[in-house]
Amino acid sequence: MLEKKPSIVAVNTRLQPNETHTPGNDVFISYSRKDKAFVEVLSEAFKRIGRDPWVDWTDIYKGEEWWQAIQRGIESANTFIFVISPDSVASAVCRDEIDYAAHCHKRFLPIVRREGFDPQQVHPQISKHNWLFFRETDDFDHAFDELVRAIDTDVDYIHMHTRLLVRAIEWQLKTENNSYLLRGSDLKDAEQWLVASINQDPKPTEIQTRYIHASQAAKAAFYRARQRAKWIVMVTTVVVNMAIVTLGFYWFYYYLWETTVTRIKAEMVQALNATVAGVNGNDFATLARTPLPPGQTEPVSNPLYQKHQDWLYRVHTLVPYANPYSYTAGTRPGEILIVGDVLRTLEPEKATVFRQSFIVDQPDTAVYQGLFQLSLTTFVTRDQRGAQFAAFAPIRNSTGQIVGAMGLDVHADYVVNLKRSIRELMSFAYLITLLWFLGLSALILRVTRPLNEEE
């Protein structure tokens, strides 16, 4: 054995990704170079009976990293033979080889070649195993027969241990690529071996166990993926057909909704323009600044107020679905003051009071603030009176200055109810169509299912 000593880190060094394992060595022989002559005899004895020993003088190829070659030999060997002598016991390199063999959970077969060593210096992995004696005074043939019998004990289990270790390390070196995992009968054999290892020695290594579990997980993932592919076929069929139905229902819903909204908005715009045209901006500005008499909620004695309220009521009688009201800007940010409100005549319990203050919240703030700068706008809002369409337009005085705004509300409950009815109809149609295509797809999948799911 070469006496070059690797660093302590080298014990855990792995092969580089471009290196490969060649499993099949029956034994790895660890020895001191002073016992080389004996190891040559031992190696030849193995070869005569068709066994393949791993010895450093033949199995370290040109250009290979020395310690990586040692690791490769240990990993691919079924049994680790340690030649005990005073020199090998004291050898740091031999100790590193023993450490790595123990790390790989290899089966140890120590053989004594030369005595004269301190038993306390023998590596613990060597001490705890039975020793065979190959001293010069011992019968070599008899000792060799015992060694071969020991090697052949539980040979199938040991061979599988080596095979799985080599493949697990290769999988690790290939960044745990799934293409290197176990499949089919290989995986079944590995699972049976893992169960059998409970009562066997050596035990599986951590990387072997993880390799088998990763293979099992990949198998489960494969069957899940295949099942998922079946579902994709069914879902795709359902989705494509449902998409056609969805587009049809959506077009109908969108067309009906937009047509209704467009008609209402057009009528509101016409009514609002007519309402604003009938308001004198100068009189409105004067009315908006009129203080409310003590104890009153309306300035009923004010002719401008009576004229304004009469006009709002007249608009309502001409456009019964419209509830007009007017307001002006308050002194605080976002504040408006209600001036006129047709509900004071129609539904007093729902009406505002004269100059009632409101602080407009988002998202309506931008709309209300824009009334004093922009022209007419419409949107759908919801308050204590329910869902409604609202339209607003500025009121200008004789100089063109905006002095307030006119609002027009149209209750939209019937439109909201119509939307709800359409949604319910679509949901029912979806359910019927979905059940039909699910049943049809399930029937197709059942007919086309392979007879053997393991194939």
Side-chain angles (χ1 to χ4, degrees):
M1 178 68 63
L2 298 174
E3 294 300 329
K4 178 180 178 182
K5 184 180 185 303
S7 66
I8 191 67
V9 178
V11 174
N12 294 318
T13 301
R14 314 304 309 137
L15 295 178
Q16 299 302 318
N18 60 346
E19 294 179 292
T20 59
H21 290 278
T22 307
N25 295 104
D26 292 287
V27 296
F28 178 96
I29 303 176
S30 176
Y31 66 102
S32 167
R33 65 184 304 171
K34 291 188 177 180
D35 299 310
K36 182 177 180 181
F38 165 73
V39 173
E40 289 175 343
V41 173
L42 183 63
S43 176
E44 289 301 320
F46 276 121
K47 292 178 180 179
R48 281 196 299 271
I49 62 172
R51 305 299 175 91
D52 183 19
W54 198 102
V55 188
D56 62 357
W57 68 71
T58 59
D59 287 342
I60 300 180
Y61 304 111
K62 182 178 180 180
E64 285 189 307
E65 180 68 26
W66 173 75
W67 178 245
Q68 290 178 355
I70 295 295
Q71 288 179 305
R72 186 189 64 179
I74 294 174
E75 292 162 358
S76 62
N78 296 319
T79 303
F80 183 87
I81 294 178
F82 182 67
V83 180
I84 305 175
S85 70
D87 299 289
S88 64
V89 169
S91 170
V93 173
C94 289
R95 183 168 291 270
D96 286 341
E97 292 173 347
I98 295 170
D99 286 338
Y100 191 70
H103 171 74
C104 295
H105 292 198
K106 287 297 176 178
R107 178 169 65 179
F108 284 82
L109 287 179
I111 62 176
V112 179
R113 176 56 181 171
R114 290 186 290 122
E115 296 180 317
F117 50 85
D118 182 359
Q120 299 298 322
Q121 299 299 317
V122 177
H123 195 288
Q125 285 291 335
I126 302 303
S127 298
K128 69 181 184 181
H129 291 87
N130 294 327
W131 297 353
L132 298 175
F133 291 89
F134 279 79
R135 296 164 298 192
E136 291 185 358
T137 57
D138 295 313
D139 184 336
F140 179 89
D141 292 337
H142 176 73
F144 184 74
D145 288 342
E146 289 187 354
L147 178 61
V148 172
R149 282 196 295 271
I151 291 173
D152 289 342
T153 302
D154 297 325
V155 64
D156 292 336
Y157 176 82
I158 296 299
H159 284 175
M160 181 61 77
H161 189 289
T162 301
R163 183 169 179 266
L164 288 175
L165 178 65
V166 171
R167 293 191 62 172
I169 291 174
E170 183 179 28
W171 169 69
Q172 185 183 58
L173 295 178
K174 300 297 184 179
T175 63
E176 301 188 1
N177 189 304
N178 282 357
S179 62
Y180 290 86
L181 292 174
L182 300 166
R183 292 177 177 82
S185 60
D186 282 346
L187 178 56
K188 290 182 180 179
D189 292 343
E191 291 171 334
Q192 294 173 358
W193 175 85
L194 189 62
V195 173
S197 68
I198 297 175
N199 300 317
Q200 293 280 3
D201 281 313
K203 299 297 182 184
T205 64
E206 183 274 336
I207 182 62
Q208 286 172 315
T209 303
R210 192 159 60 87
Y211 180 57
I212 294 173
H213 289 167
S215 300
Q216 292 171 326
K219 175 185 175 181
F222 169 76
Y223 285 119
R224 285 197 302 269
R226 188 164 70 177
Q227 188 63 28
R228 188 162 52 247
K230 292 181 179 180
W231 277 102
I232 289 175
V233 172
M234 183 177 69
V235 171
T236 300
T237 303
V238 172
V239 168
V240 169
N241 289 279
M242 287 299 295
I244 298 174
V245 176
T246 300
L247 290 175
F249 273 104
Y250 179 78
W251 176 87
F252 173 72
Y253 169 79
Y254 181 80
Y255 173 78
L256 183 60
W257 170 251
E258 287 298 318
T259 300
T260 303
V261 170
T262 300
R263 177 179 57 82
I264 293 175
K265 285 184 177 181
E267 293 175 354
M268 288 177 67
V269 168
Q270 293 177 0
L272 188 59
N273 283 331
T275 304
V276 173
V279 176
N280 185 301
N282 295 329
D283 290 345
F284 179 81
T286 302
L287 175 62
R289 294 192 298 268
T290 301
L292 190 66
Q296 295 185 16
T297 58
E298 300 178 64
V300 292
S301 60
N302 190 326
L304 293 179
Y305 178 73
Q306 288 292 350
K307 180 181 179 181
H308 188 68
Q309 283 292 113
D310 289 344
W311 173 245
L312 297 182
Y313 181 75
R314 188 180 305 174
V315 171
H316 173 74
T317 59
L318 295 174
V319 188
Y321 58 79
N323 295 324
Y325 58 94
S326 60
Y327 58 90
T328 188
T331 57
R332 293 178 293 169
E335 182 185 30
I336 62 172
L337 304 176
I338 304 298
V339 177
D341 186 353
V342 74
L343 291 180
R344 295 170 192 165
T345 302
L346 298 175
E347 300 178 80
E349 69 279 2
K350 295 183 179 180
T352 61
V353 299
F354 182 72
R355 289 179 59 85
Q356 182 171 340
S357 174
F358 287 94
I359 300 297
V360 184
D361 299 327
Q362 292 290 351
D364 300 339
T365 300
V367 176
Y368 278 95
Q369 289 176 346
L371 294 179
F372 303 103
Q373 301 175 11
L374 304 176
S375 60
L376 182 143
T377 182
T378 62
F379 69 102
V380 179
T381 185
R382 182 180 293 274
D383 58 19
Q384 67 272 19
R385 291 172 293 183
Q388 56 197 309
F389 287 95
F392 308 92
I395 299 174
R396 301 177 185 272
N397 60 17
S398 57
T399 63
Q401 181 183 3
I402 296 177
V403 294
M406 182 67 67
L408 195 68
D409 289 349
V410 175
H411 287 283
D413 290 341
Y414 74 97
V415 178
V416 174
N417 292 334
L418 179 59
K419 289 179 65 176
R420 184 182 300 111
S421 299
I422 294 173
R423 284 198 301 268
E424 292 174 355
L425 177 62
M426 289 178 65
S427 299
F428 179 75
Y430 276 171
L431 179 61
I432 296 300
T433 307
L434 180 61
L435 291 176
W436 166 257
F437 285 116
L438 281 177
L440 181 61
S441 300
L443 179 62
I444 294 173
L445 289 176
R446 184 175 182 82
V447 172
T448 58
R449 183 178 60 186
L451 295 178
N452 184 2
E453 286 291 341
E454 293 294 322
E455 294 178 355

